[in-house]
Amino acid sequence: MPDTALPRRPIDGFLAWCRPGFENDCAQELAARDAALATGGYARARRDSGYVEFILADEASATRYDRALRTDALIFARQWLRLHARVDRLPATDRLAVLMPAIRATGLTFADAWIESPDSTEGRELSGLCRALNTALIVAMKRERLIAADSRWRLHLGLLDPATALVAVADVAHSAPWPGGIPRLRFPRGAPSRSTLKLEEAFFVLLDAGERERWLRPGMSAVDLGAAPGGWTWQLARRSIHVTAVDNGPMDAGLLESGLVDHRREDGFRYQPARPVDWLVCDMVEQPRRVAARIGDWLAAGWCRHAVFNLKLPMKKRYDEVMLCRERVAEAAAGAGKRLDWRARQLYHDREEVTVYATLR
Ligand SMILES: C[S@@+](CC[C@H](N)C(=O)[O-])C[C@H]1O[C@@H](n2cnc3c(N)ncnc32)[C@H](O)[C@@H]1O
């Protein structure tokens, strides 16, 4: 860029924060949505950067894309934000002097403002700078009356390196309520494995507050396939839900003593419940298609009302594999004369895997 160019460049598009190493999957997913909507966009992604920029042709396309994302969330993005501008050549001494005009140019006021960096090695090194700048930013925005408690918007400044920022905006009601889209969950004392955080996060991210209250009630019943040592079972038992834990491996002794857990040393692909249960959860390390087919069997037979399951994705074409799994479960739903409600997400606590909530309507 020549020196005379403005450091601020307006953009119509999206910024997606994702797990480092999954930028291609995220870009492929954004492109697939774009193809379905005919919005004419393209992705900019760099491996291990922890983010993807998706650039659209104009504001109308971005608005159409934005609307579609409200009803069908992205799998590989922890947070997606409407991009307004890219600011290059931030001076080391007074970054806000350059950023404030770009913020004003959005024409919006904001309920809050977050300065975030990607969840990458370089990005994490910027977290101190983000915190220091964030405090000064809020002061400057208040001074210019750009902060308004009743605004529906939250400002996000994505600091990519000390001299480059992306100016982006989230609708508070339709975005992750955590910086970087990362829920900081504390490991619960007494839980038998770290996997417990996956199911806890899944309940937070894939269900809304009303659904959690209605669908996770004391006295309900569940089956946990591939349960040992019991992190997922623990999440259900702590909600006073009765669990049949299916696994040839040993379960945590404390869980078995709770009186809420029945351990069956059986094959999770063959096990059938004696009567229908409220929940099926499944964390078996197996081919994703095989897991999806079994979940389809359970839902179509009415053996469970709700299912949460993990799809392990050691392959290259991870987005395609998840779509194929969705197709498998949708076919089972159609066979039962029902429609599938499918919510898949790569959670913060997921590694090479995604977690799915599914039910039939
Ligand atoms: C990732 S671990 C599950 C961890 C568990 N969700 C937790 O929170 O502690 C996978 C488990 O699946 C079990 N598993 C794999 N194949 C299975 C099968 N066919 N039937 C039952 N369990 C199986 C393994 O024995 C292992 O304990």
Side-chain angles (χ1 to χ4, degrees):
M1 190 164 60
D3 269 340
T4 50
L6 276 174
R8 182 180 84 233
R9 285 185 276 145
I11 306 175
D12 286 308
F14 289 85
L15 165 63
W17 296 130
C18 67
R19 185 178 181 85
F22 288 75
E23 298 79 10
N24 276 346
D25 309 276
C26 187
Q28 198 189 342
E29 182 177 22
L30 285 157
R33 296 292 179 85
D34 177 63
L37 293 164
T39 34
Y42 66 93
R44 282 202 292 242
R46 188 168 49 81
R47 194 175 159 75
D48 294 327
S49 65
Y51 69 95
V52 177
E53 289 171 84
F54 198 75
I55 311 303
L56 289 154
D58 50 39
E59 197 181 341
S61 305
T63 302
R64 201 141 59 84
Y65 201 100
D66 202 6
R67 273 204 208 108
L69 286 183
R70 278 158 203 244
T71 49
D72 193 7
L74 294 166
I75 303 165
F76 287 99
R78 294 170 176 168
Q79 177 81 286
W80 51 92
L81 306 162
R82 182 83 173 260
L83 255 182
H84 279 251
R86 183 185 181 97
V87 184
D88 305 292
R89 294 185 290 132
L90 285 172
T93 46
D94 191 0
R95 292 179 176 85
L96 287 186
V98 181
L99 287 169
M100 288 307 290
I103 295 167
R104 269 183 241 120
T106 61
L108 301 170
T109 57
F110 301 96
D112 203 356
W114 295 350
I115 304 192
E116 302 162 303
S117 58
D119 185 25
S120 60
T121 313
E122 302 87 28
R124 281 190 290 273
E125 282 167 12
L126 294 168
S127 55
L129 178 58
C130 287
R131 272 196 302 278
L133 264 179
N134 216 143
T135 310
L137 173 70
I138 299 277
V139 172
M141 287 176 70
K142 281 187 176 160
R143 199 168 43 229
E144 296 199 23
R145 298 185 193 284
L146 290 170
I147 296 280
D150 58 352
S151 168
R152 61 183 281 201
W153 310 111
R154 189 193 308 113
L155 176 73
H156 291 250
L157 293 183
L159 201 62
L160 305 184
D161 60 59
T164 312
L166 296 173
V167 179
V169 170
D171 184 337
V172 173
H174 295 277
S175 60
W178 308 286
I182 299 175
R184 304 276 172 194
L185 301 178
R186 231 199 258 156
F187 181 70
R189 198 138 49 98
S193 69
R194 285 207 68 77
S195 299
T196 200
L197 293 175
K198 255 189 268 180
L199 189 58
E200 184 171 359
E201 187 183 351
F203 287 149
F204 264 107
V205 171
L206 302 175
L207 307 184
D208 67 31
E211 290 168 342
R212 280 195 295 277
E213 183 152 330
R214 289 195 306 280
W215 297 347
L216 291 164
R217 285 183 178 279
M220 285 184 160
S221 54
V223 169
D224 183 353
L225 301 178
W232 285 31
T233 294
W234 189 89
Q235 286 292 337
L236 296 160
R238 90 174 171 91
R239 292 173 167 87
S240 300
I241 293 174
H242 296 267
V243 188
T244 303
V246 182
D247 201 307
N248 274 316
M251 290 292 287
D252 176 77
L255 265 177
L256 297 178
E257 283 161 17
S258 69
L260 286 160
V261 179
D262 175 22
H263 183 194
R264 300 284 181 88
R265 292 183 184 272
E266 290 183 42
D267 180 352
F269 285 97
R270 287 165 177 263
Y271 175 83
Q272 283 185 25
R275 62 189 72 82
V277 292
D278 297 292
W279 284 91
L280 169 67
V281 300
C282 172
D283 191 22
M284 290 190 287
V285 183
E286 249 297 342
Q287 282 182 31
R289 297 168 196 204
R290 195 167 174 227
V291 170
R294 194 60 185 154
I295 300 294
D297 293 343
W298 272 71
L299 287 167
W303 295 339
C304 63
R305 280 182 57 208
H306 312 277
V308 170
F309 52 99
N310 197 266
L311 299 173
K312 318 285 174 191
L313 302 168
M315 63 285 296
K316 277 216 171 95
K317 296 193 164 182
R318 294 180 279 223
Y319 174 69
D320 293 343
E321 188 65 29
V322 177
M323 288 298 101
L324 198 141
C325 289
R326 178 182 178 154
E327 206 45 54
R328 288 266 158 103
V329 184
E331 277 164 17
K338 301 222 168 151
R339 203 174 47 78
L340 172 66
D341 175 358
W342 167 282
R343 311 172 193 176
R345 195 72 73 82
Q346 185 176 40
L347 303 171
Y348 175 65
H349 294 93
D350 280 333
R351 290 168 186 266
E352 274 206 327
E353 57 200 342
V354 298
T355 302
V356 184
Y357 165 81
T359 192
L360 302 192
R361 300 196 190 285

